[in-house]
Every structure is written in structure tokens, then in C-alpha cells.
């Protein structure tokens, strides 16, 4: 009977540990055995979550880090909550950067390679959850010492948020001017190495000041012409035009003044700003193909009720006889008019759009062919497909 109670108590203790969350209230390391003189596997930063794998034994816990490595940490650093009274012992050899450095709010490092594939599990064959770019900050709470080991760059045990890459692909933020000089030192005939460094240079420029885009693309374009890939050439030439526009970007006040009187023209009917009556909407487009009620927790839209048509989507308040346009698919019947001299219709190519409106738009390497123009409490999301204007969405800020 005593033996039964012992195992029951042990089971309850393990179950309790598995349900409770534990955090480290100080910098520390993951040791191979319960001793600070033992070899260590990696570095923890203050606030890192761990999973307990054992009871406290002589002042040590066996734990699992968020990259699934197992080892030992001092019991005195393990807590069920963090608070401002914590006496943080800093490890000066810990490579992790503390938060609030103008790039990220918690402990982190930066992606130092181009087009980094973040995996769902610490396995090179697991699902790709995200592609990251040179200079992207990534949250890290535990950093393995071995550069060939996996690191969790999601900052979380949860399968929903966990993302993994190899330790050697993250580090201090690359310096743009240093990388520029590194590129210039490369053998001009070595197109493979120049392409690798050129890609890092371009990605870092997108994560830096807009003024760095032009010198980055100037170098990268040299390599692209060497490779002579038609699609890569076309994409790079388009990005060079974007870079020129962003370098001369208008102020928020200038952009708002430009879009202040914007209106859609839908089958010849002008909207008042982005609104029209529900009756006019039905008169012009007929009964909607679909009606649906959405969850609008932020109270962004005119109504939770949406009408869906092949040409557009609108938030509709049937009682108040109002409709607010939220998305328009551009064709020969529909266009967006900024003013008497500026409009977006089905004849506008992506290149022409960028050349004319490049100083007004927002753009990102992470969302190619998708641009934004700021409004007062929202923005136009302008999407091109195959070089042609596809749709314009009004995206509201929560």
C-alpha cells in the first residue's frame, strides 16, 4: 500500500509540473550535469520558459529548453512567475541581445543569411512555417552553443508559434556598410558568391533606411545581369524603380492630402468618398452573390453584415441604408480616382503605377506586387497580378 501511495504521489507531482509553466528569473546556462563547473549546452536569457523534467534535487532541476534540448539549471533561478523585484544576474558571455534596442522588445538575435526557411520542428525535412530575411529580428530565449544545433526562433514552446532554424544562421545584426564593402571585394567573375552576398545586401537594405536600397540594388543588378535569368532581371528592374520612389517618399501629410478626396467609380456610379447607399449598391450590382456576418471585435466596419459580389465587397447597414466599400476588383467597369489627374483603372500596369506613384506607396520584399497607400485611419492595399492591377482593398487599423 505504501508503494502504491509513493507512485501515486510521484504521478501527481509530475502531472502538476506538466500543467504549470516555469520561467527563469535570471540569465543562466543549460548544464550537462547538476554543477556550474560542468560543460554547458547553451545560454538562457531572463524570462525564458522551461519544462521541468525532475523534482528539485540538491538545488538543481532537470529541464527541457524550447529547442527540446535537455539539461540542468540551478533551482534558485526557476520560478512560476516573473516580477520587477527579480534580481537579474547577467551573463556577460551570453550572445543574446536584451529587448528594447529599437528592433525588438524581448531577447533576440537577427537573421544573418538570405531567404531563411523557419521550420515547424527541429528537422530539415519538417514543414516550412515562414521565410525570413537578412536583418529580421527573431525572439530567442535559449541559444545553443553548438552552431549546428537547432534554435527556436519563435520564443515559445507552443506548436503554433515555435519556429526552428540552425544556430549558425542567427547572430548580431549585420552592418550594411560592412556588407557593401565585402561585396565590392569579391571576384567579379564569381557570380555564385556575389549573388549570395548580393541577396543578403538587398534583404538587409529592405530592413534598413530606404536610402540603402539604391546602393544595394546597384550591386545586385550587376550579378543579375551576369546570371541573365529573364524573370530575375524583370523582378530586379521593378524593385529598382520601387527603390527610387521610396528614396523620395512623401511625408504622411502629403500622402493624406493626395488621397483625401479619393472615390471609386463602379459601373459609372461614383461613391461618396468610399460610401454609397445600400439601395444604390443593389440597384447597380443586383442582389449579392453571398451575404455573411463577420466578427468585428475592433468595430472597424460600418456593419458586421457583408455583401459579396464578383466585382466588390462591402460592409452594409441595411437599416441605415448605407454601404461602405471594402474591396474592389478592378476591371473595365471599376476604378479608383484620387483626383482629376490621377486614377487607377484596368489599363494601369504595375511598372507605370510604381513610376507615377512610387513616392506615395509602401512596399516590402516580403509581399511582392502588393503596395499600400496610407489613409487617415486605414490604407489602400493595391495588388497586381501578372503586371496588371487586380484589386484594391481598404485595410482598417484595429
Amino acid at each position: 500500500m505504501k508503494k502504491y501511495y509513493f507512485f501515486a504521489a510521484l504521478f501527481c507531482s509530475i502531472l502538476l509540473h506538466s500543467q504549470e509553466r516555469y520561467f527563469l528569473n535570471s540569465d543562466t546556462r543549460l548544464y550537462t550535469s547538476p554543477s556550474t563547473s560542468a560543460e554547458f549546452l547553451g545560454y538562457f536569457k531572463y524570462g525564458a520558459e522551461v519544462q521541468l523534467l525532475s523534482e528539485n534535487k540538491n538545488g538543481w532541476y532537470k529541464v527541457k529548453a524550447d529547442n527540446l534540448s535537455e539539461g540542468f539549471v540551478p533551482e534558485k533561478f526557476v520560478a512560476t512567475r516573473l516580477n520587477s523585484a527579480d534580481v537579474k544576474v547577467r551573463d556577460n558571455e551570453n550572445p543574446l541581445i536584451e529587448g528594447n534596442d529599437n528592433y525588438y522588445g524581448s531577447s533576440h538575435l537577427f537573421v544573418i543569411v538570405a531567404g531563411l526557411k523557419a521550420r515547424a520542428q527541429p528537422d530539415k525535412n519538417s514543414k516550412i512555417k515562414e521565410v525570413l530575411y537578412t536583418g529580421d529580428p527573431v525572439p530567442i530565449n535559449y541559444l545553443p552553443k553548438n552552431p549546428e544545433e537547432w534554435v527556436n526562433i519563435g520564443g515559445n514552446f507552443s506548436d503554433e508559434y515555435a519556429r526552428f532554424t540552425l544556430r549558425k544562421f542567427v547572430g548580431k545584426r549585420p552592418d550594411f556598410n560592412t556588407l557593401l564593402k565585402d561585396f565590392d571585394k569579391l571576384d567579379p567573375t564569381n557570380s555564385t558568391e556575389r549573388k549570395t552576398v548580393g541577396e543578403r545586401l538587398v534583404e538587409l537594405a529592405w530592413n534598413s533606411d530606404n536610402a540603402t536600397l539604391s546602393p544595394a540594388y546597384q550591386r545586385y543588378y550587376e550579378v543579375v545581369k551576369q546570371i541573365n535569368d529573364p524573370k530575375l532581371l524583370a523582378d530586379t528592374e521593378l524593385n529598382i524603380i520601387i527603390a527610387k520612389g521610396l528614396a523620395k517618399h512623401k511625408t504622411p501629410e502629403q500622402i493624406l492630402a493626395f488621397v483625401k478626396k479619393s472615390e471609386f467609380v463602379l459601373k459609372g456610379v461614383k461613391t461618396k468618398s468610399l460610401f454609397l447607399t445600400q439601395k444604390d449598391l443593389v440597384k447597380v450590382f443586383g442582389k449579392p452573390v453571398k451575404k455573411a456576418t463577420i466578427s468585428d471585435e475592433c468595430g472597424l466596419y460600418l456593419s458586421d453584415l457583408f455583401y459579396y459580389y464578383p466585382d466588390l465587397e462591402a460592409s452594409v447597414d441595411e437599416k441605415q441604408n448605407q454601404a461602405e466599400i471594402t474591396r474592389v476588383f478592378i476591371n473595365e467597369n471599376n476604378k479608383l480616382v484620387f483626383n482629376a489627374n490621377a486614377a487607377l483603372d484596368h489599363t494601369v500596369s504595375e511598372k507605370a503605377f510604381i513610376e507615377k506613384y512610387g513616392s506615395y506607396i509602401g512596399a516590402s520584399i516580403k509581399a511582392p506586387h502588393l503596395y499600400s497607400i496610407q489613409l487617415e485611419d486605414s490604407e489602400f492595399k493595391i495588388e497586381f497580378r501578372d503586371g496588371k492591377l487586380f484589386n484594391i482593398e481598404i485595410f482598417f487599423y484595429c
Side-chain angles (χ1 to χ4, degrees):
M1 182 63 73
K2 287 182 179 179
K3 189 174 182 181
Y4 170 79
Y5 282 128
F6 170 77
F7 283 115
L10 179 62
F11 174 77
C12 289
S13 175
I14 293 172
L15 183 62
L16 182 64
H17 282 327
S18 69
Q19 291 175 335
E20 189 130 36
R21 296 181 69 186
Y22 294 89
F23 304 91
L24 299 177
N25 59 16
S26 173
D27 289 6
T28 188
R29 301 181 181 186
L30 184 66
Y31 294 93
T32 55
S33 61
S35 169
T36 54
S37 60
E39 283 291 316
F40 71 95
L41 300 172
Y43 302 88
F44 285 110
K45 204 66 182 167
Y46 172 85
E49 184 176 359
V50 294
Q51 292 179 348
L52 298 194
L53 301 178
S54 74
E55 293 294 310
N56 176 13
K57 186 175 181 181
N58 299 322
W60 289 81
Y61 281 115
K62 186 175 184 181
V63 301
K64 181 185 289 185
D66 62 12
N67 76 332
L68 309 186
S69 293
E70 297 179 6
F72 296 85
V73 296
E75 176 271 337
K76 63 182 178 180
F77 295 140
V78 178
T80 55
R81 62 180 58 85
L82 302 170
N83 61 67
S84 58
D86 290 336
V87 179
K88 305 173 188 176
V89 178
R90 285 184 169 80
D91 183 346
N92 292 329
E93 295 180 12
N94 190 328
L96 290 171
I97 301 168
E98 291 191 10
N100 302 315
D101 63 343
N102 296 323
Y103 291 104
Y104 206 79
S106 60
S107 60
H108 62 282
L109 286 175
F110 296 88
V111 175
I112 59 175
V113 296
L116 177 65
K117 298 178 178 66
R119 306 278 177 177
Q121 298 293 330
D123 180 344
K124 66 181 181 179
N125 296 315
S126 72
K127 178 184 176 183
I128 297 170
K129 293 190 77 172
E130 186 180 6
V131 176
L132 297 164
Y133 297 89
T134 306
D136 279 349
V138 288
I140 300 175
N141 292 317
Y142 170 72
L143 186 71
K145 189 168 65 169
N146 184 347
E148 298 299 328
E149 282 193 27
W150 292 89
V151 57
N152 185 338
I153 56 173
N156 202 297
F157 272 100
S158 165
D159 289 341
E160 182 180 357
Y161 298 106
R163 301 169 298 164
F164 297 88
T165 188
L166 294 179
R167 161 69 181 90
K168 62 185 177 183
F169 296 143
V170 295
K172 289 184 178 179
R173 192 175 196 275
D175 178 74
F176 180 80
N177 290 323
T178 301
L179 199 55
L180 205 65
K181 291 175 182 176
D182 290 343
F183 180 92
D184 291 341
K185 292 176 184 175
L186 295 174
D187 179 355
T189 63
N190 190 343
S191 59
T192 301
E193 192 172 1
R194 293 180 91 216
K195 183 174 183 288
T196 299
V197 179
E199 287 172 342
R200 291 177 62 209
L201 197 56
V202 163
E203 290 183 3
L204 184 60
W206 278 103
N207 272 320
S208 305
D209 187 272
N210 285 339
T212 61
L213 285 167
S214 288
Y217 273 111
Q218 180 187 343
R219 269 75 170 182
Y220 186 58
Y221 192 46
E222 293 174 13
V223 187
V224 171
K225 286 187 289 186
Q226 279 182 300
I227 297 168
N228 199 28
D229 179 315
K231 185 180 184 308
L232 188 57
L233 266 170
D235 288 345
T236 304
E237 287 167 354
L238 194 67
N239 282 325
I240 289 171
I241 301 171
I242 295 172
K244 289 178 180 177
L246 292 176
K248 300 180 292 184
H249 208 254
K250 304 289 186 183
T251 66
E253 292 77 17
Q254 289 172 318
I255 296 171
L256 288 175
F258 175 70
V259 298
K260 188 176 182 180
K261 296 183 178 179
S262 298
E263 59 186 5
F264 284 106
V265 178
L266 309 170
K267 290 189 174 180
V269 176
K270 286 185 179 181
T271 61
K272 186 178 181 181
S273 183
L274 306 176
F275 296 85
L276 69 166
T277 68
Q278 181 263 351
K279 290 180 179 178
D280 282 343
L281 179 65
V282 174
K283 181 180 178 181
V284 175
F285 290 95
K287 291 183 179 179
V289 174
K290 182 178 79 170
K291 288 185 182 183
T293 301
I294 66 160
S295 175
D296 183 15
E297 294 178 358
C298 293
L300 300 176
Y301 299 105
L302 178 69
S303 165
D304 290 351
L305 177 64
F306 271 65
Y307 283 12
Y308 295 90
Y309 294 93
D311 278 27
L312 61 87
E313 298 170 7
S315 171
V316 178
D317 187 330
E318 294 177 334
K319 291 182 179 178
Q320 297 296 323
N321 188 29
Q322 291 181 312
E324 180 180 31
I325 305 302
T326 59
R327 186 196 299 265
V328 171
F329 297 92
I330 302 301
N331 53 40
E332 62 275 9
N333 297 315
N334 304 327
K335 63 182 177 181
L336 174 64
V337 178
F338 296 122
N339 56 53
N341 300 311
L344 299 180
D345 62 21
H346 72 288
T347 66
V348 177
S349 69
E350 185 171 6
K351 182 181 178 182
F353 166 77
I354 296 165
E355 288 175 335
K356 186 169 183 178
Y357 303 108
S359 59
Y360 292 92
I361 65 174
S364 170
I365 193 174
K366 296 181 180 181
H369 315 296
L370 182 64
Y371 308 95
S372 63
I373 297 181
Q374 181 185 340
L375 299 169
E376 193 167 350
D377 57 357
S378 56
E379 60 184 36
F380 288 123
K381 290 282 189 183
I382 301 165
E383 182 183 1
F384 286 82
R385 292 188 182 179
D386 299 321
K388 298 177 181 178
L389 184 54
F390 178 67
N391 77 53
I392 300 173
E393 179 185 3
I394 294 84
F395 180 82
F396 292 89
Y397 307 132
C398 188

